[in-house]
Amino acid sequence: MESKGSFTGRTRQRQTRRSVLWADRIAGALISIGGIGTIIAVLGVMMFLVWVVVPLFLPARVDQLQAFDRRSVEGDGQQKIVHLGVDEYQVLAWTLLPSGKIEVFRLDSGEPRDEIQLFPEGQMLTSSFLIRGELAAFGLADGTVQLAEIGFTAKFLEQEELPAETLQAIEASPGVPVSFEKGVVERTPTGQYRVQHFAAEMGALIRVADGPVRLLRHVMRSSGPLVVALVEQGPSATDDPVDADTVVDEEASPGALRLVAISGEESSNFLTGLTTLEFDAPVDLPFAPPAEREAPSHIAITGSGSDVILAWTDGMMMRIRRSDTEESFLAEQGNLLAEGRSLESLEFTLGNTTLIWGDSDGAVRGGFTVPKDQLESAGLRASVLDPRGRDVFTTTKVLSTSGAAAISLASSARSRLLWTGFADGEIRLYNVTNATLLRSLTLPAGPGGQPEPVLALAMAPKEDGLVAVTPSQIFRADIDPRHPEASLKGLFRPVWYEGYGAPQHTWQSSSGTDDFEMKLGLWPLIFGTLKATLYSVLFGAPLALLAAIFTSEFLHPRVKGVVKPSIELMASLPSVVLGFLAALVFAPYVERAIAASLAVFVGVPLAFLLGAYFWQLLPVRLAVRYANWRFAFMGLAFPFGIAGSFGLGRIGEDWLFAGDFRSWLSWGADGDARFASPIGGWMILLLPLSAFAVALFLGRLVAPLMRGQMGWDRRRFALMDLGKFVLAFAATLILAYVAAMLLASFGFDPRGGVLDTYVQRNALIVGFVMGFAIIPIIYTISEDALQAVPEHLRSASLGAGATQWQTATRIIIPTAMSGLFSALMIGLGRAVGETMIVLMAAGNTPVMEWNIFNGFRTLSANIAVELPEAVKDSTHYRTLFLAALALFVMTFIVNTVAEIIRLRFRKRAYQL
């Protein structure tokens, strides 16, 4: 085959071997496959993350709405419901009527299964039920409180224990419950026969007054139940088993209202295993409403029993602080509603901390007590009646603002879900923590074609079912709330959590209590990632870039052959080893010598610079002779810098921080005036800015004057250069001190921001250690980029009379800027994704503070810690994948921006 001419016009004399051609083609194909495969792999990872995360934001599902006539259940035609309950398998439900009668019915057909008359007609006046638990309390007309265990019981029977007709019915309709005795029986997926029925077992009977019990609420504490009752004073004392002097107020007129609290204590016999419940005598609580007011319509107790809340129909609220050891007092009085509205419903959510109330105009709001000092610091106004009160009840949740009257509430026994029923037949599902509407539905109209009010609601214990009662019908629906805690608001906006003084970003995915309010704010993790990256890059990037410039432009090739591989070997250090050293070696040492450690950042560079200026004082003959040993002499400056830093640290700590830098950071103990001055802190922050200002002044004004002295010899220039440096250092200190005094005189203090209370594992340690982790990769790529600059540019600059420094800063660095920027971005990506160092050395605390002496938690560290323990497909599990997706997006954005900037630098380099 005749060879074709090349671009030079000459004909090739040899042909490429087929093996080389095939190898070239195979290599090209493999490279293409590898590149395409990498892109597909990255896209696959992203799609998988999206696939796991998307269900977080799907709306709650409500389906299979069933309805049946309520009159088939209630023969007496009563329309009011005192309480509604449902079993965990959604087979049976029960209603308590004002007459004291309980009716049990099937949820699939409405078939009545049982009827229990708890109390005679007119005897039960009020009742109290727990969100979680079967202990109920009933207030009676004779002044007593009856406790009872009310709920569903289940037992498992063998096949031989069931009648033949029941077995035939089960076999005929697999999976469908069959009526049996006063309950139902069904075959479980494992082949067992489960029988369920309703049971009400009466417990202790407590005498609290001589008059009727008008309102009643109870809670279960670790020591036992606490009952608070609003009772009406009877005409005279009776022969009760409880101390009559405690129960009856002789000065109170018949019909007067009293608020009493009765504490119960459970005790177990470790020999017999029996548990006994004993109640103390009733204790009166301070209750003195205005004389013209009627009795309150609602009463509520917080989970700890420390606050008792009374509410009237017009929205007036009184909060009484109750204590077992101190005197109780009226802590607060206010109004829950706007003028002209009436209170329709009031209930606590799980944990009895957040109180929810609905009014006649459809507004549904919530609130809880907040520490007064935190509330005032958040800019909110507190209205506490008694100075002994430390908390303020504050409206923190707005679930609904308008609509039909909100007449019924039902809280979940597992989370902060809340069903609300309205007078127009609408039902809404809310997540109380995030104050978000998850789902709403409108029940079908009644027999007359008009919408009916939702009188009562009940959520299944597993949050997978809903039962609603209207005047004529009962409805049942299957529900799937999906992931209510993971709304966009809860993930990325401040949320007002229980006990906090203001809305804030918080991450706390688990706790030791079942009534824990999950907090899934991602901003603390994103902030921690940015904080770790910033401090590590601030430390590592300048060292790596300057080292690369020095190695490429100033270091002897023989020494460079040793230095560069040594630095590159640092990349082989496992991050877990660096984290171990940071947590167990560096962190304790820096804590003991924090002032000296900070002085190292000044003392070591100062030692190197002084060494350089003294090198200039050497005679030319000696300087040339020992030029190849200059790197070794530089190493001698390091121990002098360390030693000088300890002395400098002690002097600075005594002079600026009253001898104790850590105490100064914490504002001292008991307001010690020695640590009040903020000048030292301002000097730490202002020293870099002052040094830059002084260097700019010297470079613009003093350096041109020195360059004009052409007649000076080398020694005079060196002495002048050294004097300039000493004066510049002194000017930097003076400028920083003057600026610090000026800021302090205006009342500014750096503590509370970048400088604050010292924690052993903090951002300073992480920045130092992780800086060393990113130095090798930035150094290597930067040095390669500098070496890739064409040699003729370097030679032309030196030949034109430029110094090595001028050549490096004005020719080499601008030409290699795209490579230097790429190195910096790769180091940034390494810092963003670091896990073990921040996990071991950062304290792993998800706080949002720029304080360099405090810890943080990053996205990657959080995933590593919590993902192994997260339940698959749970909200927590998917939120962790959302954190991974956020990390992926952050990296993608950083790399995209970096590539755009790199291309611009590369275009400018081509123009040189």
Side-chain angles (χ1 to χ4, degrees):
M1 184 176 69
E2 184 178 355
S3 301
K4 296 182 180 180
S6 65
F7 71 94
T8 61
R10 299 179 61 183
T11 302
R12 294 183 57 190
Q13 300 299 320
R14 296 183 180 181
Q15 292 184 351
T16 305
R17 288 182 298 176
R18 292 183 179 274
S19 60
V20 175
L21 290 175
W22 279 106
D24 184 65
R25 292 172 184 174
I26 293 173
L30 290 176
I31 292 173
S32 299
I33 293 172
I36 295 173
T38 301
I39 296 174
I40 293 175
V42 172
L43 291 177
V45 170
M46 184 185 69
M47 294 303 298
F48 175 74
L49 293 176
V50 172
W51 179 72
V52 177
V53 168
V54 163
L56 282 176
F57 306 103
L58 295 178
R61 190 182 75 244
V62 179
D63 51 23
Q64 297 186 7
L65 184 66
Q66 300 174 341
F68 49 86
D69 189 2
R70 183 183 169 196
R71 298 182 187 277
S72 65
V73 179
E74 288 185 33
D76 56 9
Q78 295 189 48
Q79 295 191 353
K80 186 177 180 181
I81 298 292
V82 177
H83 191 73
L84 174 65
V86 58
D87 77 308
E88 64 175 318
Y89 304 105
Q90 301 184 61
V91 177
L92 296 174
W94 62 276
T95 56
L96 173 63
L97 308 178
S99 61
K101 181 174 64 175
I102 289 180
E103 293 186 339
V104 185
F105 55 93
R106 290 181 55 162
L107 275 177
D108 57 348
S109 63
E111 175 190 350
R113 297 304 307 138
D114 197 3
E115 184 177 297
I116 303 174
Q117 187 70 43
L118 290 179
F119 306 100
E121 183 78 28
Q123 181 68 9
M124 187 190 74
L125 301 181
T126 183
S127 61
S128 173
F129 298 89
L130 301 176
I131 297 176
R132 175 186 293 167
E134 298 181 346
L135 181 65
F138 302 92
L140 307 181
D142 61 357
T144 58
V145 172
Q146 176 70 64
L147 300 183
E149 294 281 346
I150 293 182
F152 294 95
T153 61
K155 63 180 180 179
F156 294 90
L157 301 179
E158 298 294 334
Q159 184 174 352
E160 296 76 12
E161 300 179 80
L162 295 174
E165 59 273 14
T166 302
L167 290 173
Q168 292 177 359
I170 295 175
E171 295 294 336
S173 302
V176 178
V178 175
S179 297
F180 178 71
E181 296 177 348
K182 292 185 178 182
V184 295
V185 60
E186 58 182 332
R187 186 167 59 184
T188 66
T190 58
Q192 296 175 304
Y193 293 92
R194 181 177 60 226
V195 178
Q196 286 192 102
H197 65 277
F198 183 82
E201 181 180 350
M202 293 300 174
L205 183 65
I206 312 168
R207 168 69 67 178
V208 295
D210 294 327
V213 180
R214 296 299 180 186
L215 289 176
L216 175 70
R217 277 293 181 270
H218 76 293
V219 293
M220 282 296 298
R221 302 177 298 173
S222 58
S223 59
L226 170 68
V227 180
V228 176
L230 185 69
V231 299
E232 186 176 321
Q233 181 62 45
S236 61
T238 60
D239 297 332
D240 300 319
V242 181
D243 187 0
D245 294 335
T246 304
V247 174
V248 181
D249 186 355
E250 298 294 342
E251 299 181 358
S253 60
L257 296 177
R258 297 167 50 227
L259 187 65
V260 297
I262 310 101
S263 297
E265 184 174 354
E266 292 181 343
S267 59
S268 299
N269 190 316
F270 70 94
L271 294 178
T272 62
L274 296 177
T275 300
T276 58
L277 178 61
E278 296 181 357
F279 283 90
D280 299 332
V283 177
D284 281 273
L285 300 179
F287 175 70
E292 67 277 4
R293 281 197 169 271
E294 298 180 353
S297 57
H298 297 82
I299 186 173
I301 318 174
T302 56
S304 62
S306 59
D307 285 322
V308 179
I309 297 176
L310 296 164
W312 280 257
T313 304
D314 62 355
M316 176 182 169
M317 181 270 290
M318 295 177 62
R319 183 171 64 89
I320 298 170
R321 173 52 59 92
R322 194 204 67 83
S323 174
D324 292 322
T325 58
E326 300 177 357
E327 180 184 0
S328 303
F329 59 91
L330 176 63
E332 188 176 2
Q333 180 173 321
N335 206 305
L336 298 174
L337 307 178
E339 187 175 355
R341 300 187 179 189
S342 61
L343 186 65
E344 299 291 337
S345 54
L346 183 142
E347 293 289 344
F348 269 113
T349 59
L350 179 65
N352 283 47
T353 298
T354 301
L355 184 68
I356 306 294
W357 62 91
D359 64 25
S360 56
D361 286 359
V364 181
R365 291 181 169 84
F368 45 78
T369 56
V370 175
K372 184 171 62 174
D373 54 347
Q374 296 182 19
L375 188 68
E376 292 175 342
S377 64
L380 301 175
R381 186 171 299 174
S383 56
V384 180
L385 296 180
D386 196 294
R388 291 172 291 179
R390 298 183 298 272
D391 302 327
V392 181
F393 186 85
T394 306
T395 301
T396 59
K397 313 290 182 182
V398 179
L399 306 181
S400 172
T401 56
S402 61
I407 58 177
S408 57
L409 302 172
S411 294
S412 168
R414 301 181 69 178
S415 66
R416 295 304 192 279
L417 289 181
L418 175 76
W419 283 101
T420 305
F422 295 84
D424 59 357
E426 184 182 10
I427 302 176
R428 300 176 188 172
L429 176 63
Y430 293 99
N431 177 265
V432 176
T433 298
N434 303 329
T436 53
L437 175 64
L438 304 177
R439 186 63 189 268
S440 66
L441 67 151
T442 302
L443 299 179
Q450 298 296 323
E452 294 185 318
V454 182
L455 301 179
L457 291 166
M459 185 182 298
K462 296 181 180 179
E463 293 186 344
D464 56 353
L466 169 70
V467 179
V469 177
T470 65
S472 63
Q473 292 178 297
I474 294 179
F475 297 88
R476 176 198 169 276
D478 291 330
I479 64 173
D480 183 3
R482 298 187 190 273
H483 306 282
E485 300 90 351
S487 66
L488 289 175
K489 179 180 180 181
L491 292 168
F492 298 106
R493 294 182 59 187
V495 176
W496 203 330
Y497 297 104
E498 293 176 353
Y500 286 67
Q504 56 185 277
H505 299 284
T506 304
W507 175 275
Q508 186 181 0
S509 58
S510 61
S511 179
T513 59
D514 294 335
D515 55 4
F516 164 69
E517 186 177 35
M518 185 177 288
K519 306 170 183 65
L520 298 178
L522 286 180
W523 275 118
L525 308 181
I526 297 174
F527 179 88
T529 303
L530 297 175
K531 182 179 179 181
T533 303
L534 174 64
Y535 284 126
S536 60
V537 169
L538 281 178
F539 176 80
L543 284 179
L545 292 175
L546 292 175
I549 295 171
F550 180 78
T551 303
S552 173
E553 303 303 318
F554 301 96
L555 200 58
H556 192 277
R558 185 182 303 172
V559 180
K560 174 185 172 181
V562 177
V563 171
K564 186 177 179 182
S566 300
I567 296 179
E568 290 174 344
L569 281 175
M570 291 172 55
S572 64
L573 287 175
S575 59
V576 66
V577 174
L578 293 175
F580 177 83
L581 293 174
L584 300 182
V585 178
F586 297 142
Y589 175 78
V590 172
E591 184 181 23
R592 294 192 300 267
I594 178 61
S597 301
L598 291 177
V600 166
F601 293 98
V602 177
V604 172
L606 185 63
F608 276 101
L609 290 173
L610 285 174
Y613 283 110
F614 282 119
W615 181 271
Q616 292 184 143
L617 292 175
L618 290 176
V620 176
R621 181 175 56 83
L622 294 178
V624 173
R625 181 177 180 180
Y626 296 108
N628 294 337
W629 296 89
R630 184 169 53 180
F631 187 78
F633 285 111
M634 289 175 58
L636 296 177
F638 185 76
F640 284 102
I642 295 293
S645 298
F646 278 89
L648 188 64
R650 285 194 294 268
I651 294 173
E653 189 172 22
D654 293 337
W655 176 39
L656 298 173
F657 305 104
D660 192 341
F661 181 72
R662 290 177 56 194
S663 295
W664 179 88
L665 288 173
S666 303
W667 305 80
D670 302 325
D672 194 334
R674 295 180 301 157
F675 304 107
S677 175
I679 294 178
W682 281 121
M683 283 201 66
I684 292 177
L685 300 179
L686 293 174
L687 273 175
L689 297 177
S690 300
F692 177 77
V694 171
L696 186 64
F697 173 79
L698 294 177
R700 293 293 180 87
L701 297 179
V702 178
L705 294 177
M706 292 183 62
R707 286 196 296 268
Q709 305 299 324
M710 301 299 295
W712 288 4
D713 58 10
R714 171 186 171 88
R715 183 176 180 81
R716 180 175 295 183
F717 263 112
L719 288 173
M720 182 61 68
D721 221 14
L722 178 60
K724 183 184 70 171
F725 174 74
V726 173
L727 291 176
F729 181 72
T732 300
L733 294 178
I734 294 173
L735 181 60
Y737 186 76
V738 171
M741 289 185 61
L742 185 62
L743 290 172
S745 65
F746 284 103
F748 297 112
D749 199 311
R751 287 170 289 189
V754 179
L755 303 179
D756 209 340
T757 303
Y758 189 89
V759 179
Q760 186 186 79
R761 300 183 182 185
N762 52 55
L764 178 65
I765 302 299
V766 173
F768 178 76
V769 176
M770 199 155 70
F772 275 103
I774 67 175
I775 281 176
I777 190 169
I778 298 178
Y779 167 83
T780 299
I781 299 176
S782 299
E783 205 278 335
D784 291 341
L786 293 169
Q787 283 296 308
V789 176
E791 186 64 29
H792 66 269
L793 294 178
R794 186 178 287 105
S795 300
S797 176
L798 295 174
T803 64
Q804 284 183 297
W805 178 250
Q806 290 172 333
T807 300
T809 56
R810 300 184 184 184
I811 303 298
I812 306 303
I813 292 177
T815 307
M817 186 59 72
S818 61
L820 298 179
F821 192 79
S822 298
L824 187 61
M825 289 299 103
I826 293 174
L828 186 69
R830 168 76 167 83
V832 168
E834 177 55 46
T835 301
M836 294 309 300
I837 294 176
V838 296
L839 181 62
M840 301 176 70
N844 211 25
T845 52
V847 295
M848 295 182 64
E849 298 178 1
W850 282 113
N851 179 17
I852 194 173
F853 302 120
N854 200 354
F856 49 84
R857 180 183 290 191
T858 64
L859 289 166
S860 57
N862 189 70
I863 295 170
V865 170
E866 299 191 7
L867 189 59
E869 299 180 359
V871 178
K872 189 176 185 299
D873 294 334
S874 64
T875 301
H876 181 207
Y877 176 85
R878 295 185 185 275
T879 304
L880 292 175
F881 272 85
L882 178 61
L885 182 61
L887 189 61
F888 185 95
V889 171
M890 289 172 59
T891 306
F892 179 80
I893 292 175
V894 169
N895 289 337
T896 301
V897 174
E899 181 63 16
I900 294 173
I901 299 176
R902 188 188 70 83
L903 291 176
R904 293 192 61 183
F905 281 133
R906 189 174 183 181
K907 183 178 179 181
R908 292 181 58 186
Y910 281 146
Q911 296 174 355
L912 292 176

